[in-house]
Amino acid sequence: VDTDSAADWWPQPDPSPGRAGSRTVGPPRVLLNEILPAPRAVDWDGSGTADHTDEWIEIVNRSSGTADLGGWRLENDGAGHGWSHRLPEGSRLGPGAYLVLYRQSSGLALVNGGDTVRLRRDDGMLADEHAWPTSPGYDRSWSRTGDGDGAWLAVVCAQRLQLGDRLDAQDAVVGEGEEAGERHDAAPLG
């Protein structure tokens, strides 16, 4: 939405007088990266119980700068229910960082045997989507090769997440090179 104000401007890298610069154009490249629709034996969210609320969706920031995710939405068709989760204002994701959203905090109920998940920017534009026709199997995910850039495959989860400490939408600030599961306090852009 163009409001003809500074709120519409995209953050740019520091100026580079005397050397080649880089320029960020348009919205950040935040994409769906991995989706686990059928949990069973693993307590993915660290709640103490392995159950249906351990479903999760992982997004990745493929941009060179921090992405402001306040107002972005995750949506899924969920057997025609049309579920939606809005990320809170002040949610930020560092360059190359991941954010895992569990069903317990997002309220998104994924259909094991086939569903569609969409990621929408705060202006309503579609940032990414993935539809799967069948279940990847219990405790297996639909995952992109190349972390956000490649084709979607059904894979056994690497369990790179630390089960003791979870990141959710209220703790959506992650720095460069950090994995989801490391806890950070949400911070507004400033």
Side-chain angles (χ1 to χ4, degrees):
V1 177
D2 184 5
T3 63
D4 289 327
S5 71
D8 298 333
W9 299 354
W10 293 100
Q12 300 293 316
D14 292 332
S16 54
R19 59 186 164 86
S22 62
R23 192 174 99 171
T24 305
V25 177
R29 284 191 59 227
V30 177
L31 303 168
L32 297 168
N33 191 54
E34 196 167 357
I35 302 167
L36 184 115
R40 179 182 244 175
V42 178
D43 178 17
W44 293 99
D45 66 4
S47 67
T49 304
D51 63 13
H52 64 282
T53 64
D54 288 301
E55 295 175 345
W56 49 262
I57 300 167
E58 178 186 82
I59 60 177
V60 61
N61 180 2
R62 299 294 291 163
S63 301
S64 60
T66 298
D68 178 0
L69 299 180
W72 284 51
R73 290 181 123 9
L74 273 170
E75 304 169 343
N76 82 306
D77 290 343
H81 298 295
W83 303 105
S84 177
H85 173 73
R86 184 180 172 275
L87 293 168
E89 293 302 320
S91 297
R92 298 171 60 185
L93 193 59
Y98 303 87
L99 172 64
V100 175
L101 294 151
Y102 296 95
R103 178 178 178 173
Q104 181 179 13
S105 62
S106 73
L108 295 177
L110 304 174
V111 177
N112 301 354
D115 204 343
T116 301
V117 172
R118 291 177 194 86
L119 176 64
R120 291 196 183 273
R121 299 187 325 226
D122 60 347
D123 62 4
M125 296 298 296
L126 184 67
D128 199 11
E129 74 178 322
H130 177 62
W132 59 96
T134 61
S135 175
Y138 289 111
D139 292 316
R140 294 173 55 102
S141 67
W142 287 105
S143 179
R144 272 204 164 125
T145 59
D147 283 332
D149 284 333
W152 285 92
L153 303 170
V155 298
V156 175
C157 297
Q159 288 190 264
R160 67 177 173 223
L161 305 175
Q162 302 165 0
L163 295 179
D165 194 15
R166 293 292 174 222
L167 179 73
D168 62 29
Q170 297 303 316
D171 303 309
V173 177
V174 182
E176 182 174 1
E178 295 172 316
E179 293 285 329
E182 295 180 20
R183 186 169 289 279
H184 300 271
D185 294 323
L189 290 175

